[in-house]
Amino acid sequence: MGFDIGGWEFLVIILVGVFIFGPDRLPKAISDGVKMLRQVRQMARNATGDLSKELGTDIQLEDLHPKTFLRKHLLSEEDEAALRKPLQGIYDDVRGVADQVKRDASDAAAAAKNVGKATTPAAAPAPASQPAVRASWDDVT
């Protein structure tokens, strides 16, 4: 667990700490913060250790996400494959239909483009220009 703190950021943190706690209490506040962080880490290690002992398997903090936990500790690879098998067939069918629709749409677009190139539209007569109508304030009111 690393923090990407640059020199300037570290200096700002120190200055804020000096302003908040004062120069005489800052070292004690830092040591109290470090102790608290160590205690929290130790509690997390103890909790995962106890959970690992109860379940009879090795558990990491990342494994406590419900999906990951189920996948890793309760389902075997065969169980997971058995659960995925019916859905995989449906997925493959839908994927095949989607690919076919995409190909049909591409073919239709290409055919429409070719039809447009093959026939040139007849020259249409230009529309007669009409005089511009100007409305005045008196016409509107």
Side-chain angles (χ1 to χ4, degrees):
M1 178 165 110
F3 297 106
D4 294 331
I5 296 177
W8 287 107
E9 294 162 340
F10 185 71
L11 183 63
V12 168
I13 291 171
I14 294 296
L15 288 175
V16 168
V18 168
F19 285 126
I20 291 175
F21 296 107
D24 52 337
R25 292 189 307 173
L26 183 62
K28 178 149 178 35
I30 291 173
S31 67
D32 289 345
V34 169
K35 284 179 187 176
M36 185 180 71
L37 183 62
R38 285 182 184 150
Q39 288 175 347
V40 168
R41 285 183 181 170
Q42 186 60 38
M43 288 190 315
R45 279 191 214 111
N46 289 341
T48 56
D50 292 345
L51 194 57
S52 294
K53 287 177 189 174
E54 291 294 324
L55 295 174
T57 183
D58 183 38
I59 295 179
Q60 302 298 321
L61 285 176
E62 298 83 24
D63 297 340
L64 296 179
H65 187 279
K67 288 182 180 179
T68 307
F69 184 82
L70 286 174
R71 194 174 295 137
K72 185 173 180 182
H73 298 287
L74 297 181
L75 294 177
S76 67
E77 290 181 20
E78 296 84 24
D79 293 338
E80 187 176 354
L83 287 173
R84 288 181 184 258
K85 190 174 186 176
L87 298 176
Q88 188 65 37
I90 294 170
Y91 173 79
D92 292 339
D93 292 343
V94 169
R95 182 68 176 209
V97 169
D99 289 342
Q100 183 62 39
V101 168
K102 187 176 180 180
R103 281 192 298 271
D104 291 345
S106 299
D107 293 344
K113 188 182 273 187
N114 289 338
V115 168
K117 287 181 181 178
T119 61
T120 57
S129 64
Q130 298 194 4
V133 177
R134 294 190 180 198
S136 68
W137 181 255
D138 293 332
D139 295 337
V140 176
T141 56

